[in-house]
Amino acid sequence: MSSFPIRPLTDSPPIRAALSELLVETVAGGGSVSFMHPLPLPIAEAFWQDSLASAGRGERIVLGAFDGDALIGTVTLLLNLPPNQPHRAEIAKMMTRLTHRHRGVATALLRAAERLAAERGRTLLVLDTAVDEGASGLYEKLGFQLTGIIPDYALKPHGGLTGTMIYWKRLAAPAAA
Ligand SMILES: CC(C)(COP(=O)(O)OP(=O)(O)OC[C@H]1O[C@@H](n2cnc3c(N)ncnc32)[C@H](O)[C@@H]1OP(=O)(O)O)[C@@H](O)C(=O)NCCC(=O)NCCS
């Protein structure tokens, strides 16, 4: 069980800087999170500025895990889906700092995202992860089901194509208080 507190993030210069550092580090390390290496810091900052603005409008929740004051992991719960999918949410931008991997941070962030999704009446979660250097083991441990693989879906951060694995998980509605 992770002992790192988790909370939804709102935009502030230090939070944006910490998220940007984490994104640049993750991409440099080969993590498939939409960007190519080398990722310039201003591009990372622009991404998080947009993402946190979207969170401010209630379209998504950007969660952060903390070790003291240091942001050591993040995951995003996307909530603004089309009108015919009000029961669904998506998981994106799952990242843990290299210094804090294999200590349950991602597991705790995903569990928190699941809880928040269920509280908002979402009963289906969907995500995708790269075949090469993705995190399929993490999602399968948490009960996500593999639907299939799309070959040659995206470029890896250092070049070369990789497929993507599409996962889903049903969520139980939270018990009434
Ligand atoms: C994937 C990632 C977020 C996992 O973070 P973490 O905090 O180390 O994860 P946890 O400690 O909660 O892992 C729990 C278990 O999930 C599994 N797991 C974690 N990362 C995994 C990976 N990359 N591949 C396969 N299984 C993985 C392992 O079984 C792990 O247990 P272990 O540490 O005892 O081996 C982290 O490796 C990362 O930031 N990777 C780069 C970005 C990325 O690929 N994100 C996913 C995009 S979809």
Side-chain angles (χ1 to χ4, degrees):
M1 171 95 187
S2 160
S3 54
F4 303 109
I6 289 172
R7 60 174 188 265
L9 302 178
T10 53
D11 198 4
S12 71
I15 287 296
R16 215 187 299 158
L19 285 168
S20 303
E21 240 180 71
L22 173 53
L23 183 57
V24 169
E25 174 187 274
T26 299
V27 172
S32 269
V33 281
S34 308
F35 292 99
M36 298 298 292
H37 174 75
L39 172 60
L41 201 52
I43 303 287
E45 292 198 339
F47 169 80
W48 286 115
Q49 186 170 11
D50 285 353
S51 181
L52 292 166
S54 173
R57 295 189 295 271
E59 299 163 351
R60 62 181 63 189
I61 298 170
V62 181
L63 287 176
F66 289 84
D67 184 356
D69 289 337
L71 179 85
I72 46 94
T74 187
V75 72
T76 297
L77 181 70
L78 298 169
L79 296 164
N80 62 333
L81 296 174
N84 66 345
Q85 297 156 44
H87 57 294
R88 203 162 75 67
E90 295 185 4
I91 297 284
K93 299 288 177 292
M94 173 77 259
M95 295 173 260
T96 300
R97 290 265 3 193
L98 286 169
T99 48
H100 284 72
R101 290 198 184 164
H102 306 294
R103 291 159 74 178
V105 173
T107 302
L109 281 163
L110 283 168
R111 290 220 166 100
E114 286 182 10
R115 199 167 52 248
L116 288 167
E119 283 169 12
R120 282 157 183 74
R122 308 298 168 114
T123 52
L124 183 64
L125 284 183
V126 174
L127 62 83
D128 64 82
T129 192
V131 172
D132 298 346
E133 299 186 55
S136 55
L138 169 68
Y139 301 124
E140 286 174 16
K141 263 195 174 172
L142 279 156
F144 281 82
Q145 305 283 318
L146 177 65
T147 285
I149 296 176
I150 305 175
D152 292 348
Y153 187 77
L155 288 169
K156 293 181 272 189
H158 293 268
L161 287 167
T162 178
T164 198
M165 307 168 81
I166 311 286
Y167 281 93
W168 60 272
K169 179 176 181 175
R170 280 197 195 285
L171 298 180

